[in-house]
Amino acid sequence: MRQILLSTAKILISAALLYLALRKVDISDLLSRLGFTSAGWIALGIAVTLLQVFASAMRWREISADCGASLSVAQAVRYCMIGSFFNQTLPSSIGGDAMRLWLVGRGPAGWRAAAYSIFVDRAIGLIALALLIAASLPWSYRLIGDPQGRLALLFVDLVALAAAGGFLLLGRLHWHWLGRIRAVHHLRACSIITNRAIFNRERWSKIAFLSLLIHILAVVIAWCVVKAIAAPILFSEIFLLVPPVMLITMLPISIAGWGVREASMALTFGYAGLATSEGVNVSLLYGAVFLVVGALGGLVWIFSGERSQKGSTSIESAE
């Protein structure tokens, strides 16, 4: 019953935010701006999204090895493609993570190693995104003249940085009583793995590069959408506005980020002095690109051997 209520709440949030965002958009005007040239840009956006999935798979593979859940390149890419499908079909923005957990956890690695690998992967992605936003704040403040917009951007980034810093610090504390609390015990274990991955001399550069690449590719996808509808927006503006929206969209309060992404994009565009309707247009087409990639992930799921296999291990003890 609790899951049903949570799913219903997420559906209602997505529907309400989408309704409010779509009131600012002329759908007929948006469709009239899509033509032959637009198809080329959308196709490029889909290709860049597939590249982003590959980069995400490579980072997850690096992290999974530290968690005792080693994956081949083919497995990591296949599982991430399948995850992209379930991101779009399950009533959550983390449905793909749940599917990756199931795919890895039922194998020899076990459920704990699978859960750790996905949580650490998410944490590193959040840390990289928060740092990227923080590094671009001087330029963001030049773009966003509205005091409320500046305050909102600073608040969101500070919360993300504080959460990231607290999480990393947890792994460096040696208080014995922390291990007696089950939830804290596992969170601390993930923090230790994250610290090891980030501060490893041999591997930190690869993980940092992949993390930065993933977020830059998200900006490029949005830029492809901008070009598809010939919106009067510069690449520098997209580079500064998209990462904060992606940070907010990571909150698991809607279906695949729908509604939250559109409302956030409209708000940030407005703060930057751009047309809020263009923000919604870009967000809608951005989501459409991920829907297409999700559909491709569905084909991978249909034709994959994992769909019919049964798990070979039981759920591990949390200890």
Side-chain angles (χ1 to χ4, degrees):
M1 179 59 70
R2 183 180 178 183
Q3 286 298 112
I4 293 174
L5 290 175
L6 285 173
S7 297
T8 302
K10 290 175 181 178
I11 292 171
L12 291 175
I13 289 172
S14 286
L17 290 176
L18 272 176
Y19 171 75
L20 292 174
L22 289 175
R23 291 174 61 185
K24 304 175 182 179
V25 175
D26 185 345
I27 298 297
S28 60
D29 175 67
L30 175 60
L31 294 176
S32 68
R33 293 160 67 182
L34 296 173
F36 179 77
T37 304
S38 302
W41 282 109
I42 295 296
L44 180 59
I46 293 171
V48 174
T49 307
L50 291 172
L51 178 59
Q52 186 190 50
V53 172
F54 179 78
S56 299
M58 292 302 96
R59 186 183 67 186
W60 180 40
R61 181 172 178 265
E62 288 290 321
I63 294 166
S64 295
D66 280 340
C67 299
S70 297
L71 298 168
S72 67
V73 173
Q75 280 180 315
V77 173
R78 187 164 67 251
Y79 292 173
C80 282
M81 283 298 297
I82 292 172
S84 68
F85 168 66
F86 284 95
N87 265 338
Q88 302 296 329
T89 55
L90 293 181
S92 170
S93 60
I94 57 173
D97 290 344
M99 195 60 195
R100 287 192 293 156
L101 169 61
W102 181 75
L103 288 167
V104 177
R106 63 183 187 156
W111 298 94
R112 181 169 57 183
Y116 283 6
S117 73
I118 292 166
F119 188 90
V120 172
D121 182 54
R122 277 282 183 173
I124 289 177
L126 172 63
I127 292 169
L129 185 56
L131 289 174
L132 178 62
I133 295 171
S136 61
L137 276 177
W139 295 274
S140 297
Y141 269 32
R142 293 178 188 175
L143 177 63
I144 300 174
D146 188 286
Q148 291 184 342
R150 289 181 171 184
L151 183 62
L153 176 61
L154 183 62
F155 174 76
V156 168
D157 194 39
L158 284 178
V159 169
L161 288 173
F167 173 67
L168 291 174
L169 178 62
L170 184 61
R172 295 183 173 271
L173 297 176
H174 300 288
W175 299 337
H176 296 294
W177 60 269
L178 289 173
R180 300 171 188 170
I181 306 174
R182 183 180 292 270
V184 177
H185 168 73
H186 292 298
L187 190 62
R188 184 170 180 272
C190 289
S191 176
I192 292 172
I193 296 170
T194 305
N195 275 283
R196 190 163 61 231
I198 291 176
F199 298 108
N200 184 292
R201 292 182 180 180
E202 297 178 356
R203 300 173 59 194
W204 76 268
S205 58
K206 184 174 183 180
I207 291 176
F209 170 76
L210 289 171
S211 298
L212 184 61
L213 177 63
I214 290 166
H215 297 313
I216 290 177
L217 289 176
V219 174
V220 174
I221 296 164
W223 175 245
C224 290
V225 168
V226 166
K227 299 297 288 184
I229 58 175
I233 304 168
L234 302 175
F235 180 82
S236 58
E237 294 170 334
I238 286 293
F239 185 87
L240 296 173
L241 296 177
V242 168
V245 172
M246 294 302 101
L247 184 61
I248 296 171
T249 308
M250 291 178 73
L251 294 172
I253 59 174
S254 64
I255 303 173
W258 286 99
V260 174
R261 183 181 57 244
E262 283 68 37
S264 301
M265 198 79 85
L267 193 63
T268 54
F269 271 51
Y271 282 145
L274 303 172
T276 57
S277 59
E278 292 289 26
V280 179
N281 288 338
V282 170
S283 184
L284 288 173
L285 289 180
Y286 185 93
V289 168
F290 278 88
L291 277 176
V292 173
V293 174
L296 296 175
L299 293 176
V300 174
W301 169 240
I302 290 172
F303 294 107
S304 69
E306 285 84 0
R307 190 168 64 94
S308 58
Q309 291 175 358
K310 294 183 178 179
S312 59
T313 60
S314 60
I315 297 179
E316 290 184 318
S317 168
E319 295 297 326

